[in-house]
Amino acid sequence: MSHWLSALPPVAVYLIVAGVIGVESMGVPLPGEIVLVSSALLAATGVVEPEWVAIAAAFGAIAGDSIGYAVGRRGGRPLLARLGRRFPKHLGPAHLARAEQSFARHGVWAVFFGRFVALLRILAGPLAGALHVPYRRFLLANAAGGLVWAFGTTYLLYSVGRAAEHWLKDISWAGLVLAVLAGLGSTWWLRRRAQRLEPVGPVDADDDAEPVSAGTDR
């Protein structure tokens, strides 16, 4: 991914980052996190600017989630069911039930921590709209999660990548390994917290999850 992105002009990289993450946030399974990590590592080599990578990622995340919210609010559960039939491995009935239960239990906090969890990152916007979560609360959690995820991931990988390049110029693979490990460590704590959003036991795909009320906000 990094090799392919390095062949593009910087503006194209920023547009790809914003576009892929934005479409993923609308509810379409795409490798948004992989694109962000690859672009952040590319920034460490000086090909692109880290601030623009982070801005593009944050814009894509916030705008994509907001569009997904509007689509979900308009289309409701029938829309989510159609997405599940189209992407059964990613958004099937069991996935939808787990995500809906997370919203029912945790309200808009599911949107914030969902930015660090693959399933909720895809479903947060459409599901919040379908469940009629108040938009102001959704937007606050959406913006906070998007900014922390985008800038935190980008600058941590960029900083470690620059340090690795300076001290390990002749061992490029070691710099890459350190950068990847740093990226994993950067989200470890948030992923651990996000795991609390998951149901304790297995969820039956045929069971209806408890609907979230408009005032849910924990």
Side-chain angles (χ1 to χ4, degrees), residues 6-130:
S6 65
L8 301 174
V11 173
V13 175
Y14 306 142
L15 291 176
I16 289 173
V17 170
V20 172
I21 292 175
V23 173
E24 179 192 46
S25 300
M26 292 179 197
V28 179
L30 288 179
E33 192 168 41
I34 293 176
V35 170
L36 177 59
V37 169
S38 298
S39 300
L41 292 174
L42 198 61
T45 67
V47 176
V48 293
E49 298 297 329
E51 61 267 26
W52 285 108
V53 171
I55 289 172
F59 175 81
I62 297 170
D65 269 343
S66 294
I67 294 173
Y69 175 94
V71 172
R73 191 175 184 90
R74 188 176 186 86
R77 287 190 62 90
L79 171 66
L80 298 176
R82 288 196 297 271
L83 286 174
R85 290 193 295 269
R86 188 173 182 84
F87 305 104
K89 293 183 179 181
H90 302 278
L91 306 176
H95 301 92
L96 178 59
R98 292 174 63 192
E100 189 172 17
Q101 186 172 0
S102 296
F103 268 85
R105 289 184 176 184
H106 304 281
V108 294
W109 282 109
V111 177
F112 178 86
F113 286 108
R115 179 49 54 183
F116 302 89
V117 180
L119 171 63
L120 288 179
R121 183 164 58 247
I122 298 172
L123 280 174
L127 189 57

